[in-house]
Amino acid sequence: MTPSLHSFPGGLAFVDIETTGGPAQRESITEVGIVQVDEDGVREWSTLVRPESRIPETIQRLTGIDDDMVADAPRFADIADEVFDRLDGRLFVAHNARFDHGHLRAAFRRAGLDMRPQVLCTVKLSRRLFPDHRRHGLDHLIERHGLVVADRHRALGDAQLLWQFWQKIHERFPPGHIEAMVRELVGHPSLPPHLDPEQVAELPDTPGVYLFYGERDGGTEGGTDSSALPLYIGKSTRLRSRVLSHFAADHTSDRELSLSQQVRHIEWIETAGEIGALLKEAELVKRLQPTHNRQLRRNRELCTWRLATDIVGDWRLELMHAADLDFGRRDDLYGFFRTRREATNRLRALARDHALCPPLLGLEKHPQGARCFDFQLKRCRGACHGGESPQAHALRLIEALHALKVEHWTWPGPIGLREGEAIHVVDGWRWLGTATDEATLADLLEAGRPAFDLDIYKILVKAVKRLAVVNL
Ligand SMILES: [Zn+2]
């Protein structure tokens, strides 16, 4: 197998996307294909994606991806985390990379993620390596190098072709020659002027959280400096690659530039894996509120709708707040809302979309048995005055709420999520802490339960599907 480049210890990601032909500012992506190559081997991955508009006839014919195929596919927002992790810390290799990188970066930004990979365009690489040839389209590369076509114009099929191209050029040129060209095309990472290169060299390329600090007054040497506040906190499965990617020369935004100008000192916390890094990052960002991070909002007013079904034929929605111990544990909760107002607005919108009766949802005061205002506008099917049975209305309500359903906490007590040597202790979707020995584990189980936190909840819902669960 062809080894990764020395300059890119995080490995390579050969990437291709298909789109509707629409602009990057819209949800145009219809398929993502990635071939990851690193010390652990070669992994292939792809998924269809549901775009916001129909796929034009000409594109359907080219790619073979039609509207029916993407009808049940996830939205980009639903897979953003997974795609991000597959690209994080790797050299992003694509044919005409500006297109794929531009679309993905815009889509990540809409999903609240900031992707800044180092990018290598195989059109440019081919032009450098084979200056005598005029054409460097993918079809020309296939012909020139005898690449084996499995699924042309599909995302994974085209990404595989790039991986083949990569192997072919390594048969023809010495690795040093290719590496030098890639470095030239990608640009050297240049360290911030005030940062000690030794510190960067010490960074392990393992999962963890890193903290960028600026100038400090009087500062202390070594150890965690509690007196200064960090400028920025980030996480990665490969700390060193990720930190270096902040300082890459070729795609530095004004914000990034201002951050790298200010960084004088880096601290890091290694974690057992990615989940540990996500949890630690969420906790630290919330606690320390670094100026360069997207601020994670606090949960003071967080609430959810509880559907009380104890009285047959008289189902009611009640607002439940994060302070409630049952919050996040029950099986009858729908949606998370930052405020009571947001919860009410969302319910109002649901009522309108599904022709539900607002008085029955508690949204309006209304004399019993009378026709509601929405019924007169033909927006309610008449559950208010017996025009629709309470059962039929209740069933439609459940259907309308379905997409908002909060993940049920199914365990009787606290659980442990095993990641490498570490155990993340979790109870009622609250993260109590992470233990690597029995004594710490016992302490965590003894300690009080923190308040429900929405960001932690989102991480844990994914984590229970990926990590081994042990009852504690
Ligand atoms: Zn009504």
Side-chain angles (χ1 to χ4, degrees), residues 316-330:
R316 279 171 196 288
L317 284 167
E318 292 164 358
L319 211 53
M320 186 177 235
H321 287 271
D324 195 310
L325 262 187
D326 266 357
F327 194 92
R329 285 180 199 272
R330 308 183 52 104

Side-chain angles (χ1 to χ4, degrees), residues 155-453:
L156 186 58
D158 284 358
Q160 286 164 339
L161 289 169
L162 299 181
W163 164 227
Q164 284 184 45
F165 169 67
W166 185 260
Q167 295 170 89
K168 291 284 182 192
I169 59 176
H170 279 81
E171 288 166 14
R172 289 189 59 159
F173 301 97
H177 180 67
I178 296 171
E179 174 139 9
M181 254 174 205
V182 170
R183 265 217 307 272
E184 240 178 85
L185 287 168
V186 171
H188 306 263
S190 52
L191 293 183
H194 305 292
L195 188 63
D196 180 1
E198 284 286 302
Q199 242 208 331
V200 179
E202 279 172 31
L203 268 164
D205 215 27
T206 53
V209 175
Y210 57 93
L211 301 88
F212 286 168
Y213 287 90
E215 199 155 20
R216 31 185 176 171
D217 332 296
T220 53
E221 286 307 316
T224 302
D225 183 0
S226 53
S227 64
L229 288 176
L231 298 165
Y232 181 82
I233 297 174
K235 64 97 196 169
S236 177
T237 50
R238 291 156 195 270
L239 279 172
R240 194 153 70 89
S241 310
R242 179 66 186 103
V243 165
L244 283 173
S245 77
H246 276 279
F247 310 135
D250 67 326
H251 48 78
T252 304
S253 67
D254 289 350
R255 265 186 70 195
E256 192 83 320
L257 191 66
S258 116
L259 175 60
S260 71
Q261 292 292 322
Q262 291 174 59
V263 178
R264 279 164 163 73
H265 177 72
I266 302 176
E267 282 175 12
W268 62 89
I269 302 163
E270 287 184 64
T271 59
E274 189 192 0
I275 300 295
L278 284 164
L279 290 167
K280 197 78 202 161
E281 181 198 31
E283 184 215 322
L284 288 175
V285 169
K286 200 155 290 188
R287 184 148 58 84
L288 302 173
Q289 304 189 19
T291 43
H292 286 260
N293 279 84
R294 189 167 59 94
Q295 293 303 310
L296 296 174
R297 281 183 280 184
R298 291 166 179 270
N299 304 295
R300 265 187 303 260
E301 290 183 70
L302 190 72
C303 51
T304 181
W305 287 113
R306 175 181 170 233
L307 183 64
T309 55
D310 14 292
I311 307 173
V312 179
D314 187 18
W315 292 9
R316 279 171 196 288
L317 284 167
E318 292 164 358
L319 211 53
M320 186 177 235
H321 287 271
D324 195 310
L325 262 187
D326 266 357
F327 194 92
R329 285 180 199 272
R330 308 183 52 104
D331 191 25
D332 51 6
L333 305 179
Y334 296 90
F336 287 117
F337 310 99
R338 299 288 176 184
T339 58
R340 166 184 284 272
R341 185 194 175 91
E342 195 184 309
T344 309
N345 286 344
R346 187 64 193 273
L347 189 58
R348 226 183 277 283
L350 269 186
R352 205 170 308 126
D353 291 349
H354 294 264
L356 296 165
C357 179
L360 255 65
L361 302 183
L363 287 168
E364 283 169 21
K365 288 226 167 61
H366 179 76
Q368 197 150 22
R371 287 148 197 252
C372 73
F373 184 61
D374 278 46
F375 181 77
Q376 292 163 38
L377 295 175
K378 296 197 166 67
R379 288 204 304 226
C380 154
R381 295 199 192 155
C384 35
H385 62 275
E388 181 186 27
S389 75
Q391 291 82 356
H393 184 267
L395 279 179
R396 293 198 301 112
L397 172 59
I398 293 223
E399 212 178 285
L401 287 170
H402 181 74
L404 297 181
K405 192 159 185 354
V406 171
E407 205 73 30
H408 185 197
W409 176 259
T410 49
W411 299 271
I415 59 168
L417 297 172
R418 192 182 291 280
E419 186 173 46
E421 298 291 293
I423 291 196
H424 308 300
V425 184
V426 181
D427 191 12
W429 299 121
R430 291 144 174 90
W431 175 44
L432 277 52
T434 297
T436 46
D437 59 77
E438 289 294 326
T440 316
L441 185 63
D443 286 349
L444 289 176
L445 289 168
E446 287 291 305
R449 304 299 186 245
F452 183 91
D453 181 289

Side-chain angles (χ1 to χ4, degrees), residues 20 22 26-28 30 50-56 67 70 75:
T20 59
R26 298 279 187 79
E27 297 290 336
S28 306
T30 57
R50 183 154 47 105
E52 72 171 31
S53 59
R54 300 181 59 88
I55 306 169
D67 290 326
V70 295
R75 293 280 188 195

